[in-house]
Amino acid sequence: MHTLAIEISQLFEFLKNGTSAFHVTAHSKKVLTEAGFTELKLKEPWPLERGGRYFCCPFDTTLYAFTIGRDWDLSRGIHIGGAHTDFPAIKVKPKPEIFTQGYMQLNTELYGGPILSTFFDRSLSLAGKVVTRGSSYDRPVSHLIDFQRPVACLPNLAIHMNRTANEKGTPVDNQKHLLPILGTLNDMLNKDSTLVKLLAEELDVDPSEILDYDLCLYNLEQPELAGITEEFLCAPRLDDITSVCALVHALAESQNPNRVNLVCLFDHEEIGSLSKQGADSFLPNVVVGKIWQAFGKSMIDCMADLSDGLMLSADVAHAYHPNYPAVQDVTNYPVINQGFVFKSASNQSYAWDCEALASMIALCEDRQIPYQRFAKHSNTKGGGTIASILSSHLPVRTIDTGAGILAMHSSREMMGVKDQIALSRFAKAFFE
């Protein structure tokens, strides 16, 4: 294996630790704390100082981190980078135990739009949050949990019993076929076993103390370099940990003396962003308002000053797939390892401001950072990002960017090593 570039080493650490949205946020906090950032509480006054470095986690899956330039003039606006901590997954329902002919299985439901076939015949583990009783009913205690070992499997049906599987595919009934097997019943695992008991054993707490949980099944495979010259990176959860990693480390390393730089990490992008911790909430306004308030300015002043700023929505892009060329636009298709991607759409499903984009293209050309353009095939709807949602709440010129990947929403995705390096360099240049 080649010696890993620092940007790839950082991404490997994020991918290994970010097994749920809770864990992505926790690792982001760790990186920022080690870089000298101070944690703030949303409901408390913020005694901010020029030259300060701060972060706030209003919820366990969201994070706002910002730096204030030593020579900042409040009218100079802000640079914002946004990404999301969640990813398509299979989540565990309440009361999930199912006992069938000597097997113990879990009842599950979909989160977002995963490629379901890629979760079959993989080693699956469980990660997320478990909540136990606290000192009073309104003071529960949260615990992050990650089994970090194969605890469940979803085996495919043998081709002998599904002879047309290769020609017609294997349709997945979400309620029937997404019931992972935990084991067969024995002295240790029996019909009195519950998931709560298994969680309690893992956390070393009494089962009666557990009140609720938020758990997802995840692909246990580790990130690795691939390709004959190891120019590819294959891993679970590239969407959107690639962007989270690039933004968090870029902010931690930035030293701009004249501006506020802000990173926003949101949850629930994969299901529409409409939640208290999603991009389609009032929280971004509260955060930037508290920053301006700390320096004696009103919310109206803040919103007016923001109009001179710039915002990046960092999320993965669709790279050109050589086996399926017909799905791409005929002139705007990014190829792996030829640069990170600027995305645009006239209907604003990808936020597009040609003046803002022009300034970022000029920045890339000045710093010799390779970039590419992506536009959707005109006959396809394609996806969307948090960009237009955010720019509808904050009056900031906004552009969409990210690294191009293949197998998007698979349990294991693929990207180019050079593209992550380019994205990281661009994020640093944006904040500098």
Side-chain angles (χ1 to χ4, degrees):
M1 178 185 289
H2 301 314
T3 301
L4 292 179
I6 183 63
E7 296 88 351
I8 304 304
S9 294
Q10 291 168 344
L11 179 57
F12 270 43
E13 286 302 307
F14 255 101
L15 292 167
K16 290 174 182 177
N17 288 283
T19 52
S20 74
F22 303 103
H23 290 82
V24 174
T25 306
H27 188 69
S28 300
K29 290 175 62 175
K30 178 177 181 290
V31 170
L32 294 168
T33 300
E34 291 175 351
F37 282 65
T38 300
E39 184 169 8
L40 304 168
K41 301 300 181 183
L42 187 67
K43 64 181 181 180
E44 296 174 356
W46 286 2
L48 307 181
E49 299 178 354
R50 285 177 171 81
R53 297 153 70 81
Y54 308 95
F55 71 88
C56 176
C57 291
F59 303 103
D60 289 349
T61 54
T62 55
L63 181 145
Y64 296 81
F66 56 96
T67 60
I68 302 173
R70 293 187 182 279
D71 304 320
W72 175 47
D73 177 349
L74 275 70
S75 64
R76 288 189 66 118
I78 192 170
H79 272 197
I80 303 173
H84 62 91
T85 59
D86 62 323
F87 45 86
I90 299 173
K91 290 212 170 188
V92 182
K93 289 181 180 179
K95 296 175 61 177
E97 301 82 16
I98 297 174
F99 297 96
T100 306
Q101 299 299 321
Y103 294 102
M104 181 178 178
Q105 298 172 270
L106 294 180
N107 192 9
T108 65
E109 59 185 335
L110 288 189
Y111 178 87
I115 302 176
L116 294 176
S117 61
T118 65
F119 284 84
F120 286 79
D121 305 327
R122 305 271 190 176
S123 294
L124 302 176
S125 194
L126 278 172
K129 180 169 73 170
V130 175
V131 183
T132 59
R133 298 180 192 278
S135 57
S136 63
Y137 78 92
D138 60 345
R139 291 287 186 269
V141 179
S142 296
H143 311 260
L144 291 190
I145 188 170
D146 185 351
F147 281 79
Q148 297 183 322
R149 62 185 187 275
V151 297
C153 52
L154 274 172
N156 256 305
L157 182 63
I159 197 167
H160 312 78
M161 302 173 183
N162 184 14
R163 291 287 184 181
T164 61
N166 292 331
E167 294 77 22
K168 298 182 179 180
T170 304
V172 177
D173 184 310
N174 296 346
Q175 187 59 69
K176 292 180 180 179
H177 302 147
L178 295 181
L179 306 178
I181 300 172
L182 289 187
T184 56
L185 302 188
N186 50 47
D187 292 340
M188 298 288 294
L189 197 67
N190 53 62
K191 287 201 172 184
D192 292 324
S193 298
T194 64
L195 178 61
V196 165
K197 288 182 180 179
L198 299 175
L199 296 174
E201 182 177 341
E202 194 72 14
L203 292 172
D204 194 23
V205 300
D206 190 274
S208 65
E209 294 297 304
I210 294 179
L211 301 174
D212 204 4
Y213 53 77
D214 185 342
L215 299 172
C216 67
L217 290 155
Y218 71 89
N219 182 354
L220 197 59
E221 294 174 6
Q222 296 300 299
E224 61 185 3
L225 299 183
I228 195 67
T229 58
E230 296 187 332
E231 72 269 37
F232 302 126
L233 194 164
C234 296
R237 304 177 296 281
L238 294 179
D239 179 5
D240 188 29
I241 291 180
T242 54
S243 303
V244 172
C245 177
L247 291 178
V248 168
H249 280 285
L251 183 70
E253 297 167 20
S254 67
Q255 298 292 335
N256 191 300
N258 301 312
R259 191 176 58 237
V260 168
N261 285 326
L262 170 66
V263 166
C264 307
L265 304 182
F266 299 100
D267 194 6
H268 295 159
E269 188 275 343
E270 297 293 355
I271 55 171
S273 296
L274 188 59
S275 70
K276 64 185 184 302
Q277 61 264 57
D280 198 4
S281 74
F282 198 67
L283 258 181
N285 302 66
V286 173
V287 170
V288 294
K290 284 179 75 71
I291 296 172
W292 259 250
Q293 182 187 53
F295 293 93
K297 300 198 79 173
S298 69
M299 180 64 84
I300 296 299
D301 294 331
C302 173
M303 291 297 111
D305 289 342
L306 289 184
S307 64
D308 196 34
L310 191 62
M311 180 159 54
L312 300 179
S313 166
D315 202 348
V316 291
H318 295 287
Y320 180 85
H321 197 312
N323 294 342
Y324 302 91
V327 302
Q328 298 282 354
D329 181 58
V330 295
T331 59
N332 297 281
Y333 47 86
V335 177
I336 280 183
N337 277 324
Q338 294 189 16
F340 78 100
V341 180
F342 289 123
K343 298 176 279 185
S344 58
S346 59
N347 67 359
Q348 296 295 316
S349 57
Y350 298 131
W352 177 41
D353 180 303
C354 61
E355 182 181 22
L357 185 52
S359 68
M360 293 297 96
I361 289 174
L363 175 64
C364 289
E365 293 180 349
D366 180 67
R367 302 290 181 92
Q368 296 184 318
I369 302 172
Y371 69 90
Q372 304 178 80
R373 298 290 298 271
F374 173 85
K376 299 174 184 177
H377 189 289
S378 297
N379 290 334
T380 63
K381 181 179 179 181
T385 68
I386 60 174
S388 291
I389 294 171
L390 281 175
S391 63
S392 69
H393 294 299
L394 299 172
V396 185
R397 293 173 300 151
T398 306
I399 58 176
D400 257 301
T401 188
I405 71 170
L406 294 174
M408 190 184 296
H409 286 201
S410 169
S411 75
R412 187 172 179 85
E413 299 161 322
M414 173 179 167
M415 70 176 301
V417 169
K418 292 180 181 178
D419 296 336
Q420 182 65 21
I421 294 173
L423 178 64
S424 298
R425 288 182 58 202
F426 171 65
K428 292 174 186 175
F430 174 74
F431 287 134
E432 291 290 348

